[in-house]
Amino acid sequence: MSKGKVLIVMSAADVWERTDGSKYPTGYWAEELAAPHEKFVEADYTVDFASPGGVLQPLDEHSADPEVAGRSAVATWRTPRTR
């Protein structure tokens, strides 16, 4: 039985504008979402997600790149967890 509910609210942004006016694709950083989600689930909370307008937040592709995020970080969130 769940101890309660946790709502994770994510940004709806998929692009941000740099100071030079160029556009840069963005999204959620995998480890920043996976780590707290894992802790809440381990603590027996039900986790829901929301964003402004119900927009599906894309993954920031850099967070899935071991050369950018680090091999251990990517391996951690990609490894299935069992209880």
Side-chain angles (χ1 to χ4, degrees):
M1 183 165 173
S2 174
K3 288 183 182 177
K5 295 181 180 180
V6 173
L7 179 64
I8 296 177
V9 180
M10 302 171 70
S11 166
D14 60 358
V15 173
W16 58 272
E17 187 173 333
R18 296 177 172 173
T19 56
D20 66 1
S22 64
K23 306 283 186 194
Y24 187 81
T26 190
Y28 70 89
W29 196 260
E31 188 176 19
E32 290 179 349
L33 178 62
H37 177 267
E38 179 180 28
K39 296 295 183 188
F40 289 132
V41 170
E42 286 174 353
D44 292 322
Y45 286 91
T46 300
V47 181
D48 286 321
F49 300 89
S51 68
V55 176
L56 180 61
Q57 178 66 32
L59 172 69
D60 183 322
E61 293 296 326
H62 291 102
S63 71
D65 182 347
E67 298 301 317
V68 176
R71 294 189 188 285
S72 63
V74 172
T76 298
W77 69 263
R78 284 190 175 170
T79 304
R81 301 281 191 249
T82 57
R83 297 180 95 196

